[in-house]
Amino acid sequence: KNSLNYLTIQPTEQETTKIIEIPDLTGLSLQEGNDQLSKLGVETVILGKGTKIVKQLPEKGQALLEGEKVVIQTDGEVTLPDLTNWSLRDVMKIASLAKLELNISGNGYVRKQNLQAGTVLKEGDYLVVHLQPPDEKEEKIEEDVVKGG
């Protein structure tokens, strides 16, 4: 801060990251679990077509960073959501809960996935995701516009 003042640069205030502690949702109905997560203001992803929660990530007591997703698995058939723009951390939750073999290329956020959204998942299925930093996608779009594509 002193160095910035010396160089006559105004320091910016750093925002603190909000951390949320997740309750145990296992055994609850999907509706009850969703209600609890809604009150906490977190984004929920549902794996499965059942009505009762059997697993969750993060688990009870684990911290959830602001903007991170809570994945809950129900007792029904498990289907893959659209992972576009997801962080690797959130994709790893899906792979862990559904017991998938995860293969990753690149870094950043998901741009492509080998299995289509809605695919019924079985233990041991291979999920391949291609990650790309957010600014690369924007640059690609700008190049296409400039080139007329």
Side-chain angles (χ1 to χ4, degrees):
K1 187 174 179 179
N2 288 339
S3 297
L4 291 174
N5 284 333
Y6 177 77
L7 296 170
T8 64
I9 298 172
Q10 194 64 20
T12 59
E13 294 295 319
Q14 283 208 316
E15 294 180 29
T16 57
T17 303
K18 183 178 173 185
I19 298 175
I20 302 164
E21 192 169 314
I22 301 301
D24 185 9
L25 305 171
T26 54
L28 297 179
S29 73
L30 184 56
Q31 184 62 47
E32 290 171 322
N34 260 338
D35 289 347
Q36 284 193 30
L37 294 173
S38 290
K39 288 177 187 172
L40 293 174
V42 298
E43 185 178 348
T44 307
V45 176
I46 300 164
L47 278 184
K49 296 185 178 183
T51 58
K52 187 175 182 179
I53 298 172
V54 293
K55 294 180 187 173
Q56 71 183 63
L57 279 179
E59 294 176 338
K60 176 190 180 217
Q62 290 182 332
L64 179 78
L65 299 175
E66 192 171 12
E68 192 178 349
K69 296 170 178 50
V70 175
V71 181
I72 52 180
Q73 183 177 347
T74 67
D75 53 355
E77 186 175 67
V78 177
T79 58
L80 184 68
D82 181 1
L83 303 174
T84 304
N85 295 322
W86 281 36
S87 69
L88 176 57
R89 186 175 173 132
D90 287 332
V91 170
M92 290 172 69
K93 291 176 194 172
I94 297 286
S96 176
L97 283 176
K99 297 180 178 157
L100 303 175
E101 297 292 328
L102 182 60
N103 194 341
I104 303 153
S105 69
N107 50 43
Y109 295 89
V110 176
R111 296 295 176 238
K112 296 178 189 174
Q113 63 191 65
N114 70 321
L115 301 173
Q116 290 184 346
T119 300
V120 176
L121 300 172
K122 297 181 290 301
E123 186 176 327
D125 280 351
Y126 281 87
L127 173 62
V128 181
V129 293
H130 176 71
L131 307 175
Q132 197 174 351
D135 57 342
E136 282 186 25
K137 183 180 180 190
E138 292 168 12
E139 289 173 13
K140 172 85 171 103
I141 292 170
E142 287 175 20
E143 286 176 20
D144 289 346
V145 170
V146 171
K147 292 179 183 175

